[in-house]
Structures are given as C-alpha cells and as structure tokens.
Amino acid sequence: MLVLSRKNQEAVVVGSADGGEYLVRITVIEIRGSRVKLGFEAADEIRVHRFELWEQMVQTEQSNGRDGGNAVSKETIVRWENGDIEMDRPWESESGL
C-alpha cells in the first residue's frame, strides 16, 4: 500500500506510468476535523464508488449467482443506481461531508 500525505487542494493521480493520461485524479477538497472530503475526476467509463458500497455490490452480484470475483457487472451498477436493488446507503443519513 502506498501512503501519501496531501494538504488541502493537493491531488494524486492514478494511471499510466508511460506519460499517458491518468485514469483517476483524487483531490483533497476540504479537511474538517477528522473528516476529509475528496474529489474524484475520471472518464465516464471508469466507475468510482465508496469501498463499502462496492463490497455490497459484489455481494449482491454473487448472491444473484454471478461470481465474477472482484468484478461488478454494469447491470448491477445500473440496477442499483435506478433503485432496483436495495442496499444500505449510510451516506443518506449523514450531514455535511
């Protein structure tokens, strides 16, 4: 695991080591107490999810009989985004960040 320190408005990129375009840019947007607000920039075809949400999507995928390992099908993501699949949404009860 790579561990980096970043200050407010500093960023990290994930992507090509050969000088090509990055896949994801993560920017520290705000630091308030023990919470950090991050901004993610990525191409439309790259899905970015909270880890706990991704875990739930993988479990849903596997319980539906599709064992894709760590992969989550586009169908599962679209069904979740459309509200067709129920999952915990802890961020809905959070205020602020």
Side-chain angles (χ1 to χ4, degrees):
M1 173 187 299
L2 173 64
V3 179
L4 300 171
S5 295
R6 300 279 74 199
K7 294 179 183 176
N8 199 17
Q9 301 304 313
E10 292 183 338
V12 178
V13 295
V14 177
S16 177
D18 62 2
E21 291 190 31
Y22 58 82
L23 298 174
V24 180
R25 178 181 171 153
I26 304 132
T27 304
V28 177
I29 302 297
E30 182 179 354
I31 302 169
R32 190 182 318 161
S34 63
R35 299 186 66 139
V36 177
K37 186 183 284 188
L38 301 173
F40 294 81
E41 295 176 52
D44 290 340
E45 63 271 9
I46 297 176
R47 301 283 185 161
V48 178
H49 301 285
R50 291 178 175 207
F51 183 72
E52 62 272 14
L53 174 59
W54 174 82
E55 284 182 311
Q56 289 177 358
M57 292 182 341
V58 169
Q59 288 175 347
T60 300
E61 186 90 349
Q62 291 172 348
S63 69
N64 288 337
R66 298 182 194 103
D67 187 11
N70 289 340
V72 178
S73 74
K74 188 171 185 176
E75 174 191 351
T76 296
I77 294 168
V78 169
R79 289 180 60 214
W80 176 82
E81 289 172 344
N82 290 336
D84 297 336
I85 299 175
E86 283 298 315
M87 291 188 227
D88 289 337
R89 297 178 181 156
W91 60 91
E92 287 182 349
S93 62
E94 294 178 10
S95 61
L97 297 175

XYZ file of all heavy atoms in Angstrom:
769
model
N 0.842 -1.171 0.000
C 0.000 0.000 0.000
C 0.888 1.235 0.000
O 1.788 1.370 0.799
C -0.898 -0.001 1.245
C -1.685 1.279 1.374
S -2.624 1.462 2.907
C -3.723 0.091 2.806
N 0.584 2.133 -0.889
C 1.270 3.416 -0.954
C 0.542 4.388 -0.033
O -0.671 4.529 -0.100
C 1.246 3.953 -2.385
C 1.793 5.373 -2.599
C 3.284 5.418 -2.267
C 1.537 5.819 -4.021
N 1.273 5.043 0.858
C 0.688 6.010 1.777
C 1.287 7.375 1.474
O 2.506 7.530 1.449
C 0.966 5.627 3.248
C 0.378 6.652 4.197
C 0.429 4.234 3.551
N 0.414 8.358 1.227
C 0.850 9.706 0.891
C 0.194 10.712 1.826
O -0.923 10.501 2.279
C 0.442 10.066 -0.547
C 0.987 9.187 -1.655
C 0.315 9.544 -2.970
C 2.480 9.339 -1.758
N 0.879 11.793 2.072
C 0.287 12.914 2.798
C -0.055 13.992 1.775
O 0.735 14.288 0.887
C 1.282 13.490 3.808
O 1.569 12.549 4.801
N -1.247 14.556 1.895
C -1.684 15.606 0.997
C -2.296 16.731 1.825
O -2.965 16.484 2.815
C -2.734 15.117 -0.001
C -2.296 13.989 -0.915
C -1.482 14.434 -2.103
N -0.133 14.812 -1.697
C 0.695 15.554 -2.407
N 0.318 16.052 -3.562
N 1.901 15.841 -1.988
N -2.094 17.938 1.384
C -2.712 19.098 2.011
C -3.947 19.481 1.221
O -4.182 18.965 0.118
C -1.722 20.270 2.032
C -0.519 20.020 2.914
C 0.431 21.196 2.872
C 1.676 20.897 3.707
N 2.661 21.979 3.618
N -4.723 20.413 1.770
C -5.920 20.882 1.093
C -5.588 21.342 -0.331
O -4.607 22.038 -0.552
C -6.531 22.031 1.903
C -7.976 22.268 1.563
O -8.635 21.420 0.974
N -8.480 23.413 1.938
N -6.396 20.927 -1.289
C -6.288 21.244 -2.722
C -5.141 20.529 -3.440
O -4.917 20.772 -4.617
C -6.207 22.761 -2.964
C -7.407 23.519 -2.438
C -8.724 23.000 -3.006
O -8.861 22.791 -4.200
N -9.690 22.776 -2.133
N -4.414 19.655 -2.763
C -3.393 18.845 -3.432
C -4.042 17.577 -3.966
O -5.079 17.143 -3.473
C -2.243 18.511 -2.478
C -1.420 19.716 -2.105
C -0.228 19.383 -1.220
O -0.222 18.344 -0.543
O 0.719 20.195 -1.224
N -3.432 16.993 -4.995
C -4.039 15.851 -5.675
C -3.057 14.704 -5.838
O -1.848 14.861 -5.687
C -4.556 16.290 -7.048
N -3.633 13.560 -6.169
C -2.903 12.349 -6.514
C -3.535 11.823 -7.801
O -4.742 11.932 -7.982
C -3.053 11.279 -5.406
C -2.330 10.003 -5.775
C -2.564 11.795 -4.078
N -2.733 11.274 -8.693
C -3.291 10.675 -9.908
C -2.958 9.199 -9.948
O -1.924 8.756 -9.457
C -2.785 11.371 -11.199
C -3.273 12.791 -11.265
C -1.290 11.307 -11.320
N -3.858 8.443 -10.552
C -3.674 7.010 -10.767
C -3.750 6.813 -12.265
O -4.706 7.258 -12.902
C -4.780 6.190 -10.071
C -4.621 4.707 -10.350
C -4.799 6.476 -8.577
N -2.741 6.170 -12.828
C -2.812 5.986 -14.265
C -1.522 5.536 -14.878
O -0.685 4.937 -14.228
N -1.358 5.892 -16.097
C -0.266 5.438 -16.938
C 1.077 5.940 -16.437
O 1.262 7.121 -16.165
C -0.503 5.924 -18.367
O 0.571 5.558 -19.183
N 2.019 5.035 -16.326
C 3.379 5.404 -15.927
C 4.203 5.844 -17.133
O 5.306 6.339 -16.971
C 4.055 4.233 -15.231
N 3.666 5.670 -18.325
C 4.434 5.991 -19.536
C 4.178 7.417 -20.022
O 4.472 7.751 -21.168
C 4.130 4.986 -20.642
C 2.670 5.005 -21.079
O 1.894 5.826 -20.554
O 2.315 4.188 -21.932
N 3.655 8.261 -19.177
C 3.417 9.646 -19.568
C 2.078 9.877 -20.220
O 1.768 10.994 -20.619
N 1.266 8.830 -20.321
C -0.069 8.988 -20.897
C -1.001 9.662 -19.917
O -0.608 10.076 -18.830
N -2.268 9.795 -20.296
C -3.248 10.432 -19.418
C -3.519 9.562 -18.199
O -3.464 8.346 -18.271
C -4.545 10.672 -20.180
C -4.405 11.737 -21.247
C -5.754 12.125 -21.814
O -6.756 12.062 -21.072
O -5.789 12.485 -22.987
N -3.830 10.215 -17.084
C -4.156 9.471 -15.874
C -5.570 8.910 -15.980
O -6.402 9.410 -16.732
C -4.011 10.346 -14.630
C -4.845 11.599 -14.616
C -6.184 11.571 -14.245
C -4.297 12.825 -14.971
C -6.954 12.717 -14.230
C -5.060 13.980 -14.952
C -6.391 13.917 -14.576
O -7.150 15.061 -14.559
N -5.839 7.866 -15.201
C -7.170 7.273 -15.166
C -8.070 7.979 -14.160
O -9.237 8.206 -14.416
C -7.085 5.785 -14.799
C -6.323 4.902 -15.776
C -6.189 3.503 -15.228
C -7.002 4.900 -17.129
N -7.500 8.293 -12.997
C -8.263 8.931 -11.930
C -7.397 9.995 -11.270
O -6.218 9.763 -11.010
C -8.709 7.909 -10.860
C -9.511 8.582 -9.747
C -9.500 6.767 -11.472
N -7.984 11.146 -10.983
C -7.321 12.188 -10.207
C -8.143 12.381 -8.936
O -9.356 12.589 -8.998
C -7.267 13.493 -10.982
C -6.634 14.624 -10.182
C -6.621 15.912 -10.953
N -6.206 16.991 -10.068
C -5.617 18.091 -10.483
N -5.376 18.267 -11.767
N -5.271 19.018 -9.621
N -7.471 12.294 -7.786
C -8.118 12.435 -6.493
C -7.566 13.696 -5.844
O -6.364 13.818 -5.653
C -7.861 11.216 -5.597
C -8.309 9.941 -6.317
C -8.584 11.353 -4.258
C -7.317 8.854 -6.296
N -8.454 14.636 -5.510
C -8.049 15.921 -4.937
C -8.651 16.076 -3.546
O -9.833 15.766 -3.341
C -8.534 17.080 -5.824
O -8.035 16.893 -7.155
C -8.057 18.428 -5.300
N -7.848 16.541 -2.603
C -8.357 16.869 -1.274
C -9.123 18.182 -1.408
O -8.539 19.211 -1.721
C -7.216 17.004 -0.245
C -7.765 17.413 1.117
C -6.413 15.709 -0.146
N -10.420 18.138 -1.206
C -11.277 19.301 -1.370
C -11.386 20.089 -0.066
O -11.333 21.307 -0.058
C -12.696 18.883 -1.828
C -12.627 18.094 -3.131
C -13.614 20.085 -1.948
C -12.080 18.858 -4.310
N -11.518 19.354 1.038
C -11.721 20.027 2.319
C -11.284 19.105 3.446
O -11.456 17.891 3.362
C -13.205 20.359 2.488
C -13.560 21.088 3.745
C -15.048 21.410 3.820
O -15.779 21.161 2.851
O -15.459 21.901 4.871
N -10.708 19.685 4.473
C -10.345 18.945 5.681
C -11.057 19.636 6.833
O -10.888 20.826 7.056
C -8.821 18.949 5.917
C -8.097 18.350 4.708
C -8.481 18.198 7.202
C -6.598 18.551 4.735
N -11.891 18.867 7.538
C -12.638 19.421 8.670
C -12.577 18.414 9.813
O -13.209 17.362 9.756
C -14.085 19.670 8.277
C -14.845 20.460 9.326
C -16.301 20.688 8.997
N -16.545 21.033 7.603
C -17.728 20.919 7.018
N -18.753 20.458 7.691
N -17.885 21.263 5.758
N -11.794 18.748 10.845
C -11.627 17.822 11.965
C -10.974 16.537 11.485
O -9.934 16.558 10.848
N -11.638 15.414 11.767
C -11.097 14.117 11.358
C -11.656 13.642 10.026
O -11.407 12.512 9.614
C -11.385 13.065 12.435
O -12.783 12.887 12.565
N -12.395 14.499 9.321
C -13.002 14.114 8.046
C -12.320 14.832 6.890
O -11.959 15.999 6.989
C -14.480 14.437 8.057
C -15.189 13.642 9.174
C -16.627 13.843 9.106
N -17.121 13.251 7.871
C -18.231 12.571 7.781
N -18.967 12.392 8.828
N -18.625 12.087 6.641
N -12.191 14.112 5.808
C -11.572 14.655 4.604
C -12.556 14.493 3.454
O -13.088 13.412 3.237
C -10.249 13.912 4.276
C -9.645 14.426 2.991
C -9.270 14.022 5.426
N -12.802 15.557 2.711
C -13.663 15.491 1.531
C -12.749 15.374 0.320
O -11.860 16.197 0.119
C -14.527 16.742 1.422
C -15.555 16.657 0.299
C -16.361 17.937 0.162
C -17.389 18.037 1.251
N -18.314 19.190 1.027
N -12.971 14.334 -0.479
C -12.157 14.073 -1.659
C -12.986 14.287 -2.918
O -14.173 13.966 -2.953
C -11.647 12.626 -1.642
C -10.801 12.223 -0.447
C -10.514 10.725 -0.495
C -9.520 13.016 -0.409
N -12.342 14.783 -3.967
C -12.972 14.902 -5.274
C -12.293 13.936 -6.237
O -11.074 13.802 -6.226
N -13.086 13.253 -7.049
C -12.567 12.272 -7.997
C -12.889 12.710 -9.414
O -14.042 13.003 -9.724
C -13.193 10.893 -7.745
C -12.793 10.299 -6.428
C -13.414 10.681 -5.260
C -11.778 9.371 -6.369
C -13.048 10.143 -4.049
C -11.396 8.819 -5.161
C -12.031 9.211 -3.994
N -11.878 12.732 -10.269
C -12.064 13.016 -11.691
C -11.672 11.762 -12.453
O -10.559 11.257 -12.291
C -11.158 14.157 -12.140
C -11.470 15.489 -11.508
C -10.457 16.536 -11.932
O -10.218 16.702 -13.143
O -9.884 17.169 -11.026
N -12.588 11.271 -13.264
C -12.316 10.070 -14.055
C -13.192 10.101 -15.293
O -14.238 10.760 -15.316
C -12.610 8.814 -13.234
N -12.770 9.392 -16.306
C -13.575 9.272 -17.519
C -14.904 8.605 -17.175
O -15.007 7.874 -16.179
C -12.824 8.450 -18.566
N -15.937 8.855 -17.966
C -17.273 8.312 -17.711
C -17.279 6.793 -17.591
O -18.082 6.238 -16.837
C -18.242 8.733 -18.811
C -18.553 10.214 -18.763
O -18.345 10.838 -17.709
O -19.013 10.748 -19.796
N -16.407 6.120 -18.318
C -16.421 4.655 -18.299
C -15.752 4.071 -17.055
O -15.818 2.876 -16.819
C -15.785 4.066 -19.561
C -14.329 4.380 -19.748
C -14.056 5.664 -20.518
O -14.979 6.446 -20.792
O -12.887 5.876 -20.847
N -15.124 4.910 -16.248
C -14.498 4.447 -15.012
C -15.438 4.764 -13.857
O -15.730 5.917 -13.579
C -13.127 5.107 -14.785
C -12.183 4.714 -15.912
C -12.551 4.713 -13.429
C -10.838 5.383 -15.849
N -15.925 3.717 -13.212
C -16.842 3.884 -12.090
C -16.046 4.086 -10.807
O -15.080 3.371 -10.558
C -17.739 2.661 -11.930
C -18.570 2.349 -13.151
C -19.728 3.288 -13.227
N -20.585 2.901 -14.337
C -21.824 3.280 -14.440
N -22.353 4.033 -13.528
N -22.541 2.918 -15.468
N -16.446 5.038 -10.004
C -15.796 5.309 -8.723
C -16.855 5.139 -7.638
O -17.920 5.751 -7.714
C -15.208 6.742 -8.676
C -14.578 7.020 -7.324
C -14.184 6.933 -9.790
N -16.573 4.284 -6.658
C -17.516 4.002 -5.575
C -16.791 3.997 -4.245
O -15.610 3.697 -4.177
C -18.163 2.619 -5.756
C -18.908 2.461 -7.030
N -20.136 3.037 -7.245
C -18.599 1.800 -8.161
C -20.552 2.724 -8.465
N -19.630 1.984 -9.036
N -17.533 4.279 -3.187
C -17.003 4.043 -1.849
C -16.732 2.552 -1.722
O -17.477 1.733 -2.274
C -18.024 4.423 -0.782
C -18.289 5.879 -0.666
C -19.342 6.059 0.399
N -19.571 7.457 0.658
C -20.013 7.915 1.812
N -20.275 7.074 2.786
N -20.207 9.193 1.983
N -15.698 2.197 -0.951
C -15.338 0.784 -0.836
C -16.483 -0.040 -0.270
O -16.784 -1.122 -0.773
C -14.077 0.618 0.021
C -13.626 -0.813 0.117
C -13.044 -1.435 -0.974
C -13.816 -1.531 1.279
C -12.644 -2.753 -0.908
C -13.410 -2.850 1.356
C -12.826 -3.471 0.268
N -17.165 0.476 0.787
C -18.243 -0.297 1.402
C -19.407 -0.506 0.436
O -20.052 -1.551 0.445
C -18.698 0.327 2.728
C -19.278 1.719 2.620
C -18.245 2.842 2.706
O -17.021 2.593 2.582
O -18.666 3.996 2.879
N -19.673 0.448 -0.437
C -20.711 0.284 -1.447
C -20.288 -0.747 -2.482
O -21.068 -1.608 -2.874
C -21.009 1.617 -2.126
C -21.976 1.568 -3.296
C -23.322 1.014 -2.862
C -22.127 2.938 -3.913
N -19.040 -0.686 -2.894
C -18.522 -1.658 -3.864
C -18.631 -3.067 -3.297
O -19.042 -3.994 -3.994
C -17.075 -1.299 -4.200
C -16.407 -2.313 -5.063
C -16.497 -2.425 -6.412
C -15.569 -3.375 -4.616
N -15.739 -3.491 -6.837
C -15.172 -4.087 -5.754
C -15.110 -3.777 -3.379
C -14.331 -5.193 -5.676
C -14.285 -4.877 -3.295
C -13.910 -5.568 -4.440
N -18.298 -3.230 -1.992
C -18.408 -4.552 -1.361
C -19.848 -5.054 -1.419
O -20.087 -6.226 -1.712
C -17.958 -4.495 0.099
C -16.466 -4.426 0.280
C -16.083 -4.416 1.747
O -16.653 -3.624 2.519
O -15.199 -5.214 2.103
N -20.806 -4.173 -1.141
C -22.210 -4.566 -1.190
C -22.624 -4.959 -2.605
O -23.374 -5.912 -2.805
C -23.104 -3.440 -0.685
C -22.994 -3.213 0.797
C -23.848 -2.043 1.249
O -24.501 -1.375 0.448
N -23.856 -1.796 2.536
N -22.143 -4.237 -3.590
C -22.474 -4.556 -4.980
C -21.897 -5.916 -5.363
O -22.553 -6.698 -6.038
C -21.989 -3.446 -5.910
C -22.773 -2.178 -5.707
S -22.402 -0.725 -6.746
C -20.822 -0.976 -7.405
N -20.684 -6.210 -4.917
C -20.076 -7.518 -5.198
C -20.881 -8.616 -4.527
O -21.179 -9.649 -5.140
C -18.599 -7.548 -4.743
C -18.053 -8.965 -4.774
C -17.752 -6.637 -5.619
N -21.283 -8.416 -3.265
C -22.092 -9.418 -2.560
C -23.421 -9.637 -3.266
O -23.883 -10.769 -3.407
C -22.329 -8.995 -1.114
C -21.104 -9.112 -0.255
C -21.330 -8.569 1.155
O -22.321 -7.890 1.417
N -20.405 -8.862 2.043
N -24.050 -8.566 -3.714
C -25.312 -8.679 -4.435
C -25.117 -9.472 -5.718
O -25.902 -10.353 -6.045
C -25.887 -7.281 -4.760
O -26.105 -6.589 -3.537
C -27.178 -7.381 -5.542
N -24.059 -9.151 -6.422
C -23.736 -9.850 -7.674
C -23.554 -11.345 -7.415
O -24.085 -12.188 -8.124
C -22.460 -9.246 -8.262
C -22.097 -9.766 -9.602
C -22.707 -8.969 -10.731
O -23.576 -8.130 -10.510
O -22.303 -9.232 -11.860
N -22.808 -11.675 -6.374
C -22.537 -13.077 -6.052
C -23.796 -13.787 -5.582
O -24.033 -14.938 -5.931
C -21.418 -13.181 -5.026
C -20.086 -12.770 -5.607
C -18.971 -12.666 -4.569
O -19.220 -12.693 -3.369
N -17.750 -12.537 -5.041
N -24.642 -13.101 -4.799
C -25.872 -13.739 -4.324
C -26.875 -13.943 -5.458
O -27.768 -14.770 -5.353
C -26.505 -12.929 -3.193
O -27.002 -11.710 -3.669
N -26.729 -13.204 -6.542
C -27.582 -13.390 -7.716
C -27.037 -14.458 -8.646
O -27.494 -14.593 -9.766
C -27.743 -12.073 -8.487
C -28.623 -11.092 -7.759
O -29.441 -11.471 -6.935
N -28.450 -9.813 -8.043
N -26.017 -15.185 -8.175
C -25.489 -16.292 -8.955
C -24.437 -15.919 -9.967
O -24.069 -16.722 -10.811
N -23.945 -14.714 -9.903
C -22.890 -14.300 -10.825
C -21.619 -14.130 -10.023
O -21.473 -13.156 -9.299
C -23.250 -12.977 -11.500
C -24.484 -13.039 -12.331
C -24.704 -11.683 -12.987
N -26.028 -11.603 -13.518
C -27.016 -10.940 -12.960
N -26.837 -10.289 -11.843
N -28.197 -10.905 -13.513
N -20.714 -15.078 -10.122
C -19.473 -14.988 -9.365
C -18.382 -14.448 -10.268
O -17.680 -15.184 -10.936
C -19.071 -16.352 -8.805
C -17.873 -16.251 -7.878
O -17.490 -15.114 -7.519
O -17.323 -17.294 -7.525
N -18.260 -13.134 -10.282
C -17.258 -12.504 -11.122
C -16.022 -12.099 -10.352
O -15.300 -11.214 -10.776
N -15.809 -12.709 -9.172
C -14.669 -12.308 -8.366
C -14.854 -10.889 -7.888
O -15.840 -10.572 -7.252
N -13.907 -10.020 -8.193
C -13.998 -8.628 -7.771
C -14.773 -7.768 -8.748
O -14.989 -6.603 -8.499
C -12.593 -8.035 -7.595
C -11.901 -8.599 -6.386
O -12.537 -9.125 -5.479
N -10.596 -8.495 -6.358
N -15.172 -8.335 -9.859
C -15.866 -7.548 -10.873
C -17.332 -7.385 -10.514
O -17.964 -8.292 -10.011
C -15.738 -8.239 -12.232
N -17.858 -6.226 -10.750
C -19.278 -5.958 -10.576
C -19.814 -5.608 -11.947
O -19.276 -4.745 -12.630
C -19.510 -4.786 -9.601
C -20.988 -4.483 -9.479
C -18.914 -5.095 -8.251
N -20.869 -6.296 -12.357
C -21.370 -6.069 -13.707
C -21.976 -4.677 -13.837
O -22.475 -4.100 -12.870
C -22.420 -7.117 -14.075
O -23.631 -6.849 -13.399
N -21.943 -4.162 -15.038
C -22.559 -2.864 -15.315
C -24.048 -2.932 -15.021
O -24.642 -1.987 -14.533
C -22.303 -2.465 -16.768
C -22.745 -1.065 -17.083
C -22.293 -0.637 -18.448
C -22.650 0.812 -18.694
N -22.147 1.299 -19.957
N -24.657 -4.095 -15.272
C -26.086 -4.270 -14.997
C -26.385 -4.057 -13.511
O -27.346 -3.381 -13.152
C -26.533 -5.675 -15.411
C -27.961 -5.984 -15.022
C -28.314 -7.449 -15.188
O -27.511 -8.210 -15.756
O -29.397 -7.824 -14.731
N -25.557 -4.597 -12.629
C -25.769 -4.427 -11.190
C -25.651 -2.968 -10.796
O -26.459 -2.450 -10.034
C -24.752 -5.268 -10.385
O -24.982 -6.645 -10.668
C -24.900 -5.028 -8.891
N -24.656 -2.268 -11.336
C -24.468 -0.857 -11.011
C -25.672 -0.053 -11.488
O -26.219 0.758 -10.748
C -23.166 -0.322 -11.637
C -21.967 -1.010 -10.981
C -23.069 1.186 -11.494
C -20.665 -0.784 -11.702
N -26.123 -0.292 -12.713
C -27.258 0.443 -13.261
C -28.516 0.137 -12.458
O -29.287 1.037 -12.119
C -27.462 0.114 -14.757
C -28.783 0.658 -15.266
C -26.298 0.664 -15.566
N -28.730 -1.141 -12.105
C -29.904 -1.506 -11.314
C -29.865 -0.831 -9.951
O -30.885 -0.388 -9.444
C -30.007 -3.019 -11.161
C -30.394 -3.707 -12.464
C -30.503 -5.200 -12.327
N -31.507 -5.535 -11.339
C -31.417 -6.590 -10.541
N -30.382 -7.399 -10.605
N -32.360 -6.847 -9.663
N -28.675 -0.741 -9.322
C -28.561 -0.048 -8.039
C -28.848 1.440 -8.211
O -29.592 2.025 -7.443
C -27.182 -0.257 -7.421
C -27.058 0.530 -6.165
C -27.515 0.186 -4.928
C -26.508 1.835 -6.030
N -27.275 1.192 -4.037
C -26.658 2.214 -4.680
C -25.913 2.727 -6.904
C -26.222 3.445 -4.211
C -25.478 3.945 -6.429
C -25.634 4.287 -5.093
N -28.245 2.050 -9.235
C -28.441 3.476 -9.461
C -29.898 3.801 -9.751
O -30.389 4.876 -9.418
C -27.545 3.964 -10.609
C -26.076 3.999 -10.227
C -25.150 4.300 -11.398
O -25.579 4.190 -12.565
O -23.982 4.636 -11.139
N -30.635 2.884 -10.377
C -32.050 3.093 -10.686
C -32.963 2.765 -9.503
O -34.166 2.940 -9.585
C -32.475 2.248 -11.885
C -31.863 2.743 -13.173
O -31.494 3.902 -13.287
N -31.736 1.863 -14.144
N -32.382 2.251 -8.415
C -33.169 1.900 -7.240
C -33.804 0.531 -7.314
O -34.650 0.189 -6.491
N -33.416 -0.298 -8.300
C -33.984 -1.638 -8.434
C -33.385 -2.622 -7.430
O -33.958 -3.678 -7.188
C -33.744 -2.189 -9.849
C -34.431 -1.348 -10.911
O -35.423 -0.671 -10.574
O -33.984 -1.357 -12.063
N -32.231 -2.304 -6.864
C -31.567 -3.161 -5.885
C -31.469 -2.377 -4.586
O -31.003 -1.242 -4.576
C -30.148 -3.563 -6.353
C -30.215 -4.355 -7.653
C -29.442 -4.370 -5.274
C -28.851 -4.661 -8.226
N -31.911 -2.990 -3.491
C -31.822 -2.330 -2.190
C -30.491 -2.649 -1.542
O -30.084 -3.799 -1.466
C -32.945 -2.818 -1.273
C -34.280 -2.210 -1.594
C -34.281 -0.691 -1.415
O -33.769 -0.211 -0.402
O -34.812 -0.016 -2.318
N -29.806 -1.623 -1.100
C -28.551 -1.764 -0.362
C -28.525 -0.682 0.689
O -29.204 0.334 0.569
C -27.345 -1.589 -1.281
C -27.147 -2.682 -2.278
S -25.582 -2.474 -3.117
C -26.088 -2.703 -4.785
N -27.725 -0.909 1.730
C -27.545 0.133 2.731
C -26.965 1.360 2.069
O -26.104 1.262 1.205
C -26.585 -0.332 3.833
C -27.218 -1.394 4.701
O -28.453 -1.459 4.755
O -26.463 -2.158 5.311
N -27.440 2.518 2.465
C -26.937 3.783 1.941
C -26.603 4.681 3.125
O -27.327 5.624 3.424
C -27.966 4.435 1.039
C -28.245 3.575 -0.188
C -29.286 4.187 -1.063
N -29.510 3.296 -2.193
C -30.602 3.259 -2.888
N -31.599 4.064 -2.597
N -30.728 2.427 -3.886
N -25.498 4.364 3.833
C -25.185 5.109 5.061
C -24.977 6.591 4.836
O -25.204 7.378 5.743
C -23.898 4.437 5.566
C -23.328 3.745 4.383
C -24.485 3.387 3.499
N -24.583 6.997 3.655
C -24.330 8.407 3.406
C -25.601 9.234 3.383
O -25.565 10.427 3.552
C -23.568 8.588 2.101
C -24.324 8.052 0.929
C -25.190 8.737 0.134
C -24.309 6.724 0.428
N -25.714 7.912 -0.831
C -25.180 6.662 -0.679
C -23.624 5.560 0.804
C -25.391 5.506 -1.388
C -23.846 4.425 0.063
C -24.729 4.400 -1.011
N -26.774 8.609 3.170
C -28.020 9.356 3.114
C -28.384 9.949 4.477
O -29.066 10.943 4.551
C -29.157 8.477 2.611
C -29.037 8.191 1.117
C -30.186 7.371 0.597
O -30.972 6.831 1.391
O -30.305 7.262 -0.626
N -27.928 9.311 5.571
C -28.268 9.812 6.896
C -27.207 10.766 7.421
O -27.375 11.376 8.458
C -28.424 8.642 7.874
O -27.203 7.944 7.977
N -26.099 10.886 6.713
C -25.025 11.764 7.142
C -25.304 13.192 6.697
O -25.881 13.433 5.651
C -23.681 11.324 6.545
C -23.209 9.979 7.043
C -21.905 9.568 6.393
O -21.287 10.387 5.705
O -21.522 8.408 6.570
N -24.886 14.127 7.514
C -24.997 15.522 7.105
C -23.606 16.084 6.926
O -22.639 15.535 7.436
C -25.773 16.322 8.153
O -25.075 16.277 9.371
N -23.500 17.157 6.199
C -22.191 17.774 5.980
C -21.399 17.009 4.967
O -21.819 16.841 3.841
N -20.224 16.532 5.363
C -19.358 15.810 4.446
C -19.998 14.493 4.162
O -19.735 13.737 3.390
C -17.962 15.632 5.044
C -17.202 16.915 5.316
C -15.902 16.599 6.014
C -16.926 17.667 4.053
